[in-house]
Amino acid sequence: MSQADHHFLQGQHFTVVGAAGFVGRRLCATLQARGAQVWAPERHAPWPWQPPPGHVLGHVMYCAGLTADYLARPFDTVQAHVSHLAQVLQYGLARGTLQSLVYLSSTRLYDGLGDLGSEGVAGEGAVLPMDPANPRHLYDLSKGLGESLCHVAGQGRARVARLACVYEGPQDADGFLPTLLRQVLQARAAGAGQITVQSSPHFTRDYVHLDDVVDALIRISVQGQAPVYNVASGVNVSNAELFDYLKQRWGCAVQPLLDTRPAPTPRVSIERLRTELQWQPRMLLAALDPLLATGQGA
């Protein structure tokens, strides 16, 4: 955003649901740095909410959700992705204090589309394949129902942001990429030239940096007009490409212990966010040099 856009957030009210999570925490800090009035209700705050005096819901950023442990916590998954969202929407619309709501969903919903070919991309309007009999689709179906609730009951104020694989650096608590980066940094510190990983070179992911995600979410909340936006880099990076980069740039060979060949992952289109809201994400390999050079968080 431009400096004028930063100024535009001065005094605006934001409510961040799920502020203790990876994205929500950075979102709160960024909004406050840009001059917004931010309220982050605690996870188990009494219902109905009692916002601080003088605070209205304003722009609601709905970041609550589960990721890796969704199958172990199915009831919590539905509560976070659907039930609590319904409460928040009803509450804000009934009081007339909801200016906008951005619901964080996932580009994982496109995984079932499979291989779309070298020229094919998954756009926001794609019809999503979901199978209730597939345990993996508990996540997809719950996110899909949350999205549907935004479309049907959001009165045009609720929008969906489908996020790809969000990263910041080696200090991230969870995820394949931060774990790999920590291994590389530790190997370099020990003078070792090789590491092993429990993964396959054939896995591919779309990685998008945390700061770019936060910037996109703010743009969507304040300026967005479309019902759904993909928040991704638009480029799939295979583990093989990542391993080759680490060997060439950092002299650390990565030996994968698996040779699994997963179903093809479609490339995600970010044309809507790029053209409508002038958003431009950084690419993963270009962002890794400074991260590894500083050993950030390791």
Side-chain angles (χ1 to χ4, degrees):
M1 283 187 166
S2 68
Q3 198 60 35
D5 292 325
H6 281 245
H7 183 71
F8 185 62
L9 295 182
Q10 289 283 342
Q12 291 211 46
H13 288 227
F14 282 79
T15 300
V16 180
V17 183
F22 183 46
V23 175
R25 189 165 51 245
R26 177 62 60 83
L27 187 55
C28 285
T30 303
L31 287 167
Q32 288 167 339
R34 295 185 185 183
Q37 300 295 312
V38 181
W39 178 50
E42 295 181 1
R43 183 179 176 188
H44 297 297
W47 191 264
W49 280 338
Q50 296 296 325
H55 187 89
V56 297
L57 292 190
H59 300 286
V60 174
M61 313 295 260
Y62 194 90
C63 307
L66 284 79
T67 52
D69 56 346
Y70 69 93
L71 269 181
R73 300 168 56 192
F75 299 116
D76 291 339
T77 299
V78 174
Q79 169 68 18
H81 295 179
V82 182
S83 304
H84 190 46
L85 170 67
Q87 284 183 311
V88 172
L89 264 178
Q90 282 186 302
Y91 175 91
L93 292 171
R95 285 161 178 76
T97 59
L98 179 69
Q99 195 168 349
S100 74
L101 183 145
V102 178
Y103 175 72
L104 272 59
S105 184
S106 173
T107 59
R108 288 170 58 172
L109 273 61
Y110 297 128
D111 285 356
L113 295 176
D115 188 1
L116 299 179
S118 59
E119 302 298 324
V121 291
E124 288 89 344
V127 176
L128 303 172
M130 298 186 189
D131 178 7
N134 184 339
R136 152 76 169 77
H137 285 194
L138 172 69
Y139 180 91
D140 300 33
L141 286 159
S142 61
K143 283 293 188 185
L145 184 52
E147 291 192 12
S148 181
L149 194 59
C150 290
H151 300 323
V152 172
Q155 299 182 4
R157 303 180 206 178
R159 286 175 276 279
V160 173
R162 290 180 181 152
L163 275 55
C165 187
V166 185
Y167 75 97
E168 184 178 22
Q171 74 276 22
D172 301 348
D174 301 310
F176 169 75
L177 180 63
T179 301
L180 175 63
L181 296 179
R182 283 195 295 271
Q183 280 187 267
V184 171
L185 290 169
Q186 290 163 4
R188 283 169 53 82
Q194 180 171 320
I195 61 172
T196 59
V197 294
Q198 282 285 347
S199 189
S200 163
H202 307 296
F203 284 119
T204 63
R205 299 171 181 83
D206 182 313
Y207 295 98
V208 61
H209 195 275
L210 177 61
D211 288 339
D212 294 330
V213 169
V214 167
D215 182 60
L217 296 176
I218 294 172
R219 289 172 190 260
I220 293 169
S221 70
V222 176
Q223 302 170 305
Q225 297 296 319
V228 183
Y229 291 90
N230 289 332
V231 182
S233 71
V235 176
N236 285 344
V237 177
S238 71
N239 280 358
E241 293 174 288
L242 192 53
F243 299 161
D244 183 62
Y245 164 85
L246 292 169
K247 182 178 181 180
Q248 298 300 325
R249 294 288 295 165
W250 294 92
C252 184
V254 181
Q255 179 63 45
L257 299 178
L258 304 176
D259 192 40
T260 310
R261 294 180 181 271
T265 303
R267 190 163 62 84
V268 176
S269 170
I270 58 170
E271 197 59 24
R272 176 176 289 175
L273 193 51
R274 193 198 304 270
T275 56
E276 291 186 16
L277 301 181
Q278 292 75 53
W279 180 75
Q280 183 66 48
R282 70 203 74 183
M283 294 296 106
L284 173 65
L285 299 186
L288 285 187
D289 272 348
L291 284 178
L292 288 169
T294 58
Q296 191 178 73

